[in-house]
Amino acid sequence: MRPCSSVKMWYQRLADAKFLLSVVTILAMLAPDLALAETRYWRGTNGNVWNDPLNWSISENGPTNAAAPGTTDVAIFTSNNGTKGTGSDIRMRGAINIGGLILAPSFTGSLFTGTSSVLIGSQSGGIRIGSGRLQIGTGTVFSSSGSITMSGGILSNSAKNNRMRLSGSLLHRGGALSYSGMILFNSINADQTLRITENTAVSATYKYAKATLSGVTLNNTAGGQIDDLLLTGATLFLRSVTIDRGNLDLARYNVGLSISGSMVIASNAQAGFNGSTQTL
């Protein structure tokens, strides 16, 4: 029996060695991404220019001269912004491509985009706004492959021809969402959600709406059962709705939609609308 036991023991050791090799291989493959993904805290010690390394730190209260956020980095704004220089207004100019953006509840400043392209990924949930202000300026190409989640603060734009592209959801749970441009929902992988939370203080005209939006365009090309834009929360007031591909679904959560202009549904087998007389 000993030779048999010895053989089994060596087989077990060989299996353990293969498992450890697999683990090491996986960690080695992940290591570059883990090393590159970092947080960047705005310190504002050298003015208000986004790309200046002297305005960034790798920790909230740490020394500056860190590189500006990159494609896998999360830019975080807290109460420590604008400690010196021009104050708490930050200008995002040029081509900006970052992994995620967080405006913490303690943030009291404003981010303004100029004539630039701003691409924000899905790290740390994409864009999270707890306070402060994010304003999309004239000439800005603004896209997010993640979601926008608002618990406070302000999200607005400066020109009616602005267009915001979202591959994730727009979840409005607090703060003021005032966007007079067009919001394009264009996921290719999953359903998307547009959630509006009620607040009677934001709009005197539409007293049950917490957000004012101009128009929504749906071009979700995921297909099948995962191409919906789901509306949830309070009644949504829009001037226009365009459905190129995908399905606008009001019925699932029985949400009201009021349109002062037009709804256009493309002549496409993948373009649809799901509602009822109670919701539209």
Side-chain angles (χ1 to χ4, degrees):
M1 297 296 291
R2 281 186 181 178
C4 183
S5 299
S6 179
V7 170
K8 289 182 178 179
M9 179 183 69
W10 281 108
Y11 271 118
Q12 184 61 46
R13 288 183 178 178
L14 181 61
D16 292 342
K18 288 182 177 179
F19 173 75
L20 290 174
L21 180 60
S22 299
V23 172
V24 170
T25 302
I26 292 172
L27 290 175
M29 293 172 63
L30 291 175
D33 291 334
L34 294 174
L36 290 173
E38 293 185 0
T39 55
R40 290 288 187 270
Y41 287 86
W42 175 265
R43 296 285 286 140
T45 57
N46 196 46
N48 64 356
V49 178
W50 175 279
N51 290 321
D52 190 340
L54 293 177
N55 286 325
W56 294 98
S57 174
I58 61 174
S59 61
E60 184 175 3
N61 298 297
T64 59
N65 205 22
T71 56
T72 60
D73 300 325
V74 180
I76 302 177
F77 292 81
T78 68
S79 58
N80 289 315
N81 76 91
T83 53
K84 292 182 181 178
T86 59
S88 58
D89 291 346
I90 298 99
R91 305 290 173 178
M92 303 172 73
R93 295 190 176 97
I96 295 173
N97 187 352
I98 60 176
L101 175 65
I102 297 175
L103 306 187
S106 60
F107 179 60
T108 58
S110 299
L111 272 68
F112 295 95
T113 69
T115 304
S116 58
S117 62
V118 179
L119 175 61
I120 300 177
S122 57
Q123 296 274 1
S124 294
I127 303 173
R128 289 154 48 192
I129 303 175
S131 186
R133 180 173 189 162
L134 173 60
Q135 179 164 317
I136 313 303
T138 303
T140 300
V141 178
F142 191 91
S143 303
S144 175
S145 60
S147 295
I148 298 178
T149 303
M150 293 185 66
S151 58
I154 301 171
L155 175 58
S156 61
N157 68 308
S158 60
K160 292 182 179 180
N161 61 351
N162 285 148
R163 173 169 285 201
M164 180 191 301
R165 301 173 177 87
L166 292 179
S167 297
S169 296
L170 177 53
L171 307 174
H172 176 267
R173 298 188 174 101
L177 173 59
S178 180
Y179 195 85
S180 60
M182 183 64 63
I183 300 179
L184 171 63
F185 290 86
N186 63 348
S187 175
I188 61 173
N189 298 309
D191 290 341
Q192 295 171 271
T193 299
L194 173 57
R195 176 179 175 81
I196 302 298
T197 304
E198 180 180 338
N199 185 337
T200 58
V202 173
S203 174
T205 304
Y206 302 121
K207 63 180 181 179
Y208 296 111
K210 189 166 188 176
T212 55
L213 299 175
S214 177
V216 167
T217 295
L218 175 61
N219 191 15
N220 185 327
T221 59
Q225 301 300 312
I226 52 172
D227 63 350
D228 292 343
L229 175 61
L230 306 172
L231 267 63
T232 178
T235 297
L236 181 63
F237 296 88
L238 295 172
R239 280 198 288 271
S240 65
V241 173
T242 301
I243 305 172
D244 291 325
R245 297 178 73 180
N247 179 55
L248 180 64
D249 191 338
L250 282 71
R252 187 177 306 189
Y253 298 108
N254 196 31
V255 177
L257 173 62
S258 177
I259 303 176
S260 61
S262 62
M263 172 184 282
V264 177
I265 303 177
S267 179
N268 187 302
Q270 294 186 23
F273 170 75
N274 187 18
S276 67
T277 55
Q278 288 75 33
T279 57
L280 182 61

